[in-house]
């Protein structure tokens, strides 16, 4: 009987990996191609992803991938992992390969001095994660604002055109880096710099993000995208940084007028709570509307990480991609 072989992925495996994803999961909103895999798992500025593959008789039958990620709290950096892609060939489903690869991945990462794993599992996968030692943290709060009546009436017509003034490639990234270095961050947050932001929002294949930036009067950075949610166009704000509230309000209103979304959403970090988005801008805070966040210890899971109120996450941090 042919033995099941489990090993780390290599670059030459990517074609087989993408093929298995399509066989197991089909095509979806997230692209299943080599360009997207490379962007997500090789070009990530936090480091290339650890990926385990299961082979049987020269055929790839299962895979498990975690993304490298970082969170900061004060002067402390947590070297984390984000549990993301998994796929099992239809003929091998129900044989325990998902659990086997996941537990093996955790053991491997103990040697790499990773602190913890986080992810946002759906209802179907959550019970399995809990059995493997994951803990439920919370659902982030979202702030929602009604956008345009046109978005409700013409829900199938998404305006994806971007004005040149919102083209992220036109941002002065050196200036943005200097500005970001002086921004106040509180709670547990993903460290942001130009390398991360360009990877996350400019270089990502087949997704269309846009935004604006100024250093005037304290400065402001706004990044988002248009997404069809429940058949309605949503203006999803993925990053909101800075204190120039008049600039951000004005640009946000321009975007609403231009894109005509049915509604606007934003996930508010601790350092943004006193800013415009919760006061006088038409946003309503809806508790626990975001995706369920779970954590799993690898080498350490500080008690501060288990408290929802300590997290300063943004939609861009938690968005599935």
């Amino acid at each position: 009987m042919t033995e099941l072989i489990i090993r780390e992925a290599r670059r030459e495996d990517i074609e087989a990996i993408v093929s298995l994803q399509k066989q197991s999961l089909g095509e979806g909103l997230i692209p299943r191609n080599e360009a997207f895999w490379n962007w997500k798992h090789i070009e990530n500025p936090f480091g290339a992803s650890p990926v385990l593959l299961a082979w049987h008789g020269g055929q790839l039958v299962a895979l498990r991938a975690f993304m490298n990620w970082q969170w900061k709290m004060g002067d402390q950096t947590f070297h984390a992992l984000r549990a993301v892609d998994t796929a099992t060939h239809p003929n091998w489903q129900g044989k325990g390969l998902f659990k086997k690869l996941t537990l093996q991945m955790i053991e491997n990462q103990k040697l790499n001095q990773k602190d913890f794993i986080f992810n946002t599992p759906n209802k179907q996968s959550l019970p399995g994660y809990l059995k493997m030692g994951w803990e439920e943290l919370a659902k982030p709060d979202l702030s929602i604002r009604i956008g345009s009546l046109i978005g409700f009436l013409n829900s199938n017509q998404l305006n994806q055109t971007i004005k040149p003034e919102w083209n992220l490639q036109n941002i002065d990234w050196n200036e943005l880096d200097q500005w970001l270095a002086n921004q106040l961050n509180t709670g547990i947050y993903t460290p942001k710099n130009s390398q991360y932001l360009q990877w996350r929002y400019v270089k990502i294949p087949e997704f269309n993000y846009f935004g604006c930036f100024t250093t005037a009067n304290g400065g402001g950075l706004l990044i988002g995208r248009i997404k069809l949610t429940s058949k309605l166009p949503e203006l999803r704000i993925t990053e909101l940084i800075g204190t120039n509230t008049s600039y951000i309000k004005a640009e946000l209103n321009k975007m609403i007028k231009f894109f005509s979304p049915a509604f606007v959403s934003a996930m508010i970090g601790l350092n943004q709570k006193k800013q415009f988005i919760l006061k006088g801008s038409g946003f309503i805070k809806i508790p626990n509307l975001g995706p369920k966040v779970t954590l799993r210890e690898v080498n350490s899971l500080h008690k501060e990480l288990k408290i929802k109120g300590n997290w300063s996450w943004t939609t861009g941090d938690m968005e599935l991609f």
Side-chain angles (χ1 to χ4, degrees):
M1 184 175 179
T2 305
E3 181 183 0
L4 186 71
I5 298 174
I6 296 177
R7 65 165 173 82
E8 294 182 355
R10 306 166 186 149
R11 280 183 178 263
E12 57 265 30
D13 296 321
I14 295 176
E15 183 178 352
I17 287 171
V18 172
S19 177
L20 177 61
Q21 286 184 307
K22 292 178 179 178
Q23 291 178 71
S24 172
L25 307 168
E27 297 289 356
L29 296 176
I30 297 176
R32 307 200 196 285
N33 55 50
E34 292 187 32
F36 195 82
W37 179 271
N38 287 335
W39 168 82
K40 183 175 183 178
H41 293 295
I42 296 176
E43 298 166 11
N44 177 2
F46 294 132
S49 300
V51 181
L52 281 182
L53 305 179
W55 295 84
H56 185 264
Q59 179 187 24
L60 179 61
V61 297
L63 70 89
R64 176 84 260 212
F66 290 178
M67 292 181 71
N68 276 299
W69 207 265
Q70 286 185 12
W71 295 93
K72 292 197 71 172
M73 181 174 62
D75 294 330
Q76 185 171 12
T77 298
F78 296 105
H79 297 280
L81 294 162
R82 182 174 185 170
V84 283
D85 294 314
T86 183
T88 304
H89 191 280
N91 295 340
W92 284 79
Q93 292 175 5
K95 299 182 185 295
L97 284 182
F98 166 74
K99 181 178 181 180
K100 185 179 183 69
L101 292 179
T102 300
L103 293 178
Q104 181 61 57
M105 182 77 82
I106 294 169
E107 288 302 309
N108 291 354
Q109 296 313 306
K110 286 182 180 179
L111 299 176
N112 293 331
Q113 298 302 305
K114 300 300 180 182
D115 295 305
F116 67 94
I117 305 166
F118 75 101
N119 62 332
T120 52
N122 56 33
K123 291 182 180 180
Q124 289 72 35
S125 61
L126 177 61
Y129 280 110
L130 295 179
K131 289 180 181 178
M132 290 187 286
W134 264 255
E135 300 179 46
E136 295 185 59
L137 173 61
K139 286 187 173 183
D141 303 333
L142 285 183
S143 292
I144 304 293
R145 168 182 168 174
I146 298 300
S148 168
L149 179 61
I150 297 174
F152 289 94
L153 298 177
N154 300 305
S155 58
N156 292 324
Q157 297 183 8
L158 282 175
N159 181 4
Q160 290 281 21
T161 305
I162 296 178
K163 286 185 175 183
E165 64 190 89
W166 297 329
N167 188 331
L168 293 173
Q169 296 189 50
N170 295 333
I171 285 179
D172 185 329
W173 293 99
N174 289 328
E175 185 177 49
L176 177 60
D177 245 345
Q178 296 174 20
W179 178 79
L180 285 170
N182 294 314
Q183 295 307 297
L184 173 66
N185 291 292
T186 57
I188 303 162
Y189 63 94
T190 298
K192 307 287 167 67
N193 57 28
S194 62
Q195 182 187 18
Y196 168 85
L197 293 172
Q198 288 185 77
W199 167 77
R200 177 67 181 85
Y201 299 115
V202 179
K203 297 179 180 179
I204 181 171
E206 300 184 43
F207 281 79
N208 210 4
Y209 289 89
F210 48 83
C212 55
F213 167 63
T214 185
T215 57
N217 300 321
L221 174 68
L222 181 68
I223 298 176
R225 73 180 177 106
I226 298 294
K227 183 180 185 296
L228 196 62
T229 302
S230 300
K231 298 184 178 180
L232 292 174
E234 167 195 1
L235 172 53
R236 175 173 290 183
I237 303 302
T238 53
E239 300 292 343
L240 174 59
I241 305 171
T243 57
N244 189 336
T245 58
S246 60
Y247 170 79
I248 297 176
K249 280 184 182 180
E251 291 301 317
L252 182 58
N253 287 330
K254 288 179 189 177
M255 290 177 183
I256 293 172
K257 184 176 181 180
F258 181 76
F259 292 108
S260 297
F263 63 99
V264 187
S265 71
M267 193 178 291
I268 305 305
L270 294 176
N271 57 334
Q272 300 160 349
K273 282 188 175 179
K274 295 182 179 180
Q275 293 181 27
F276 85 100
I277 202 161
L278 294 180
K279 295 184 179 181
S281 293
F283 281 86
I284 299 174
K285 180 181 176 181
I286 305 180
N288 306 317
L289 188 62
K292 184 181 291 292
V293 181
T294 59
L295 303 175
R296 208 282 190 189
E297 180 177 356
V298 178
N299 283 304
S300 63
L301 187 56
H302 294 226
K303 61 182 181 180
E304 292 89 347
L305 296 170
K306 299 183 181 182
I307 301 172
K308 174 184 175 181
N310 289 343
W311 288 81
S312 187
W313 37 42
T314 70
T315 302
D317 300 332
M318 309 309 296
E319 193 174 38
L320 295 175
F321 54 84

